[in-house]
Amino acid sequence: AQSVTQLDSHVSVSEGTPVLLRCNYSSSYSPSLFWYVQHPNKGLQLLLKYTSAATLVKGINGFEAEFKKSETSFHLTKPSAHMSDAAEYFCAFSGGYQKVTFGTGTKLQVIP
Amino acid sequence: GAGVSQSPSNKVTEKGKDVELRCDPISGHTALYWYRQSLGQGLEFLIYFQGNSAPDKSGLPSDRFSAERTGGSVSTLTIQRTQQEDSAVYLCASSFSSAAYEQYFGPGTRLTVT
């Protein structure tokens, strides 16, 4: 069965410091992987996606993620956090063509 | 072009009443998804449409929940005899053709059952 695990429910960083949000997946298929962001009272917005091209994927707002097959990971990073990055982040996984499985989310707090 | 739209944005209903939630996907997107997001929770998958067919209904919580899609476009999610535990934000998303493509989300419908 396919699954995705977000290892941290909450992450707190200071403004200007790096961000690391962790995501691991489990599947026997070649996956498509996504990161979405949800600001309060808003729908989800795609940050970036991996679909078997380059393993380092660059997204919007300075975020990037690296697909590591050996570690079954797809962690989201950003070199320098901004106050506007405070939101909830969801990792999502598709191992086939019919269903996307979302992680439970990581709430990012940015401290001024 | 227009994104995914959902209506109503907010719905307050009394326990036991039926409600209908509407989703208008992006034009040309054949795949459509419904999710439920309860307070402080992640996304709970409800149902997936490919065209007008629903290959995966596995997430519908009970037989009080049903959904349909017509003309390969608009979808309605119906909850019969609403219960307080149905209170949540219901999100709709569409994608180009399959789960291999990114999903575009609507703003959601906030359902409150009193």
Side-chain angles (χ1 to χ4, degrees):
Chain A
Q2 61 186 45
S3 66
V4 60
T5 302
Q6 291 186 245
L7 297 162
D8 306 294
S9 58
H10 289 83
V11 169
S12 183
V13 301
S14 297
E15 188 177 17
T17 64
V19 176
L20 170 64
L21 304 182
R22 298 183 293 167
C23 174
N24 286 87
Y25 70 93
S26 173
S27 175
S28 54
Y29 297 99
S30 178
S32 296
L33 290 156
F34 311 84
W35 275 101
Y36 290 85
V37 61
Q38 185 179 33
H39 288 93
N41 300 313
K42 301 286 187 183
L44 276 72
Q45 178 187 17
L46 181 73
L47 277 178
L48 50 80
K49 65 175 179 177
Y50 165 79
T51 52
S52 75
T55 56
L56 181 62
V57 182
K58 294 188 182 298
I60 62 172
N61 300 335
F63 284 94
E64 62 182 39
E66 186 172 7
F67 172 70
K68 293 187 177 180
K69 186 175 181 179
S70 60
E71 299 177 9
T72 60
S73 70
F74 190 58
H75 300 336
L76 182 70
T77 61
K78 183 173 181 178
S80 176
H82 191 273
M83 294 300 296
S84 61
D85 295 328
E88 188 159 18
Y89 293 79
F90 292 92
C91 180
F93 164 89
S94 172
Y97 288 91
Q98 292 198 351
K99 187 173 177 178
V100 174
T101 301
F102 282 81
T104 51
T106 298
K107 289 184 179 175
L108 176 65
Q109 179 185 23
V110 182
I111 301 168
Chain B
V4 178
S5 61
Q6 292 185 246
S7 60
S9 56
N10 280 282
K11 177 71 176 178
V12 180
T13 190
E14 292 180 353
K15 178 181 172 181
K17 300 281 190 183
D18 297 352
V19 295
E20 274 192 2
L21 312 180
R22 177 186 169 107
C23 173
D24 282 89
I26 291 173
S27 178
H29 281 191
T30 60
L32 186 146
Y33 305 79
W34 282 99
Y35 298 91
R36 179 168 71 175
Q37 188 173 33
S38 302
L39 187 63
Q41 302 296 311
L43 272 72
E44 177 186 4
F45 169 80
L46 297 179
I47 189 169
Y48 154 74
F49 287 93
Q50 182 58 254
N52 292 334
S53 301
D56 190 346
K57 304 179 182 180
S58 62
L60 294 177
S62 74
D63 59 7
R64 295 187 296 105
F65 287 72
S66 63
E68 65 174 13
R69 189 178 185 195
T70 56
S73 181
V74 172
S75 176
T76 55
L77 176 69
T78 302
I79 309 173
Q80 296 178 310
R81 305 180 302 282
T82 52
Q83 304 294 312
Q84 287 187 329
E85 60 263 29
D86 299 335
S87 297
V89 175
Y90 290 82
L91 292 167
C92 174
S94 69
S95 70
F96 177 62
S97 68
S98 73
Y101 294 84
E102 63 267 34
Q103 297 182 25
Y104 294 83
F105 282 80
T109 294
R110 182 175 299 277
L111 175 65
T112 304
V113 182
T114 61

